[in-house]
Amino acid sequence: MPYRIHRQELGPMENFVYLIEDRASHRGAVVDPAWEPEAIIRQARENDVEISDILLTHSHHDHINGVEAILEQYPNARLHLLKPEAEFWGKELERPELHHGGDEMRLGDTDIRFLHTPGHTPGSACFHMPAGDDLITGDTLFVFGCGRCDLAGGDPEQMFHTLNGLRQGLPARTCIHPGHNYAEKPESTLEEEDAGNPFLHFHDKDDFVHYRMVEHDRVRSTPYHPIRRR
């Protein structure tokens, strides 16, 4: 494998912050730095990794509140997000590199593909490393759950199409790395999600929207466990 993924759970909302380490170059990409930037920087230094890139799955405060601190320590690091998310965010960013779904970037010997996965926010992204079939999903797809769609920019109909697109467009062995530690375990595969994630059990869009917006939060609580298909 050309890369390793380091994971830390940080902050009061059980956020997972990821450091993608390219083994050959010792370059690193931090995904959604938040809450405890000093812990992120310490992890990078302990593994002899130079943070060269910051990847944002979306612009909610609990995923971006450590960006400035990382950039202070690594002033040459590049900040990446999707163009629709930058437009939704509305923040004047000094040095963003804006992407579209399907774009790719190279981190040393590691290829990272940007997937546009709207639903939680208009420009939400997932990051796919095809060499190992790893997918960092932010608040799009959790282990046995998915991101809420009732905040500004949320759209449950888009989420329905996004989740079905992930299930149909990626290998079943793809490993899911979510943005929060909301389940009985920190990661899973698309195959496990297809079997046990209730949000992937709907074929009718209206039924999905009703479950996401009305029923789900009344009948489930964390930590999420798998649910068999009805």
Side-chain angles (χ1 to χ4, degrees):
M1 290 290 295
Y3 63 88
R4 293 193 298 172
I5 298 177
H6 305 272
R7 179 184 67 232
Q8 292 191 84
E9 181 183 334
L10 300 174
M13 302 176 71
E14 301 172 285
N15 285 71
F16 280 143
V17 177
Y18 297 97
L19 175 65
I20 305 169
E21 174 196 350
D22 179 70
R23 293 177 183 270
S25 66
H26 296 285
R27 288 173 53 195
V30 176
V31 182
D32 291 355
W35 300 114
E36 299 177 43
E38 66 281 359
I40 301 168
I41 293 166
R42 182 168 58 251
Q43 183 183 61
R45 290 173 175 169
E46 288 174 351
N47 287 278
D48 193 27
V49 173
E50 178 73 16
I51 296 176
S52 61
D53 297 88
I54 299 171
L55 308 179
L56 300 183
T57 63
H58 64 297
S59 59
H60 283 163
H61 178 73
D62 63 306
H63 289 258
I64 56 90
N65 62 57
V67 169
E68 292 182 0
I70 299 297
L71 290 175
E72 287 178 3
Q73 291 294 317
Y74 298 92
N76 295 320
R78 301 176 300 169
L79 178 66
H80 304 266
L81 70 161
L82 293 191
K83 184 176 181 180
E85 191 66 10
E87 294 171 349
F88 167 69
W89 191 359
K91 180 179 174 66
E92 290 294 328
L93 301 170
E94 292 184 7
R95 46 184 168 181
E97 296 199 13
L98 302 182
H99 300 269
H100 297 277
D103 287 356
E104 296 183 358
M105 66 166 276
R106 189 91 168 166
L107 181 73
D109 290 341
T110 301
D111 290 318
I112 301 175
R113 187 159 62 104
F114 296 76
L115 306 183
H116 184 201
T117 54
H120 185 62
T121 63
S124 285
C126 295
F127 304 114
H128 183 222
M129 281 70 75
D133 279 317
D134 286 292
L135 184 71
I136 297 177
T137 57
D139 283 5
T140 295
L141 179 63
F142 301 136
V143 176
F144 308 129
C146 81
R148 57 192 299 180
C149 301
D150 58 345
L151 302 175
D155 187 326
E157 293 189 7
Q158 285 189 323
M159 183 67 85
F160 171 77
H161 294 298
T162 285
L163 295 181
N164 279 285
L166 291 176
R167 176 176 59 184
Q168 297 167 10
L170 294 172
R173 65 178 179 273
T174 300
C175 186
I176 305 302
H177 305 272
H180 292 272
N181 188 17
Y182 286 165
E184 60 180 10
K185 59 180 183 175
E187 60 189 43
S188 70
T189 65
L190 269 181
E191 183 177 33
E192 290 177 287
E193 294 302 302
D194 188 43
N197 190 326
F199 292 106
L200 293 177
H201 295 170
F202 291 93
H203 298 286
D204 182 86
K205 179 185 64 180
D206 292 337
D207 289 343
F208 173 91
V209 170
H210 175 78
Y211 182 74
R212 171 66 279 180
M213 303 302 287
V214 178
E215 185 179 354
H216 176 267
D217 291 351
R218 296 194 312 216
V219 299
R220 296 185 80 204
S221 59
T222 57
Y224 294 145
H225 302 277
I227 294 177
R228 292 184 179 181
R229 288 182 178 273
R230 298 179 182 180

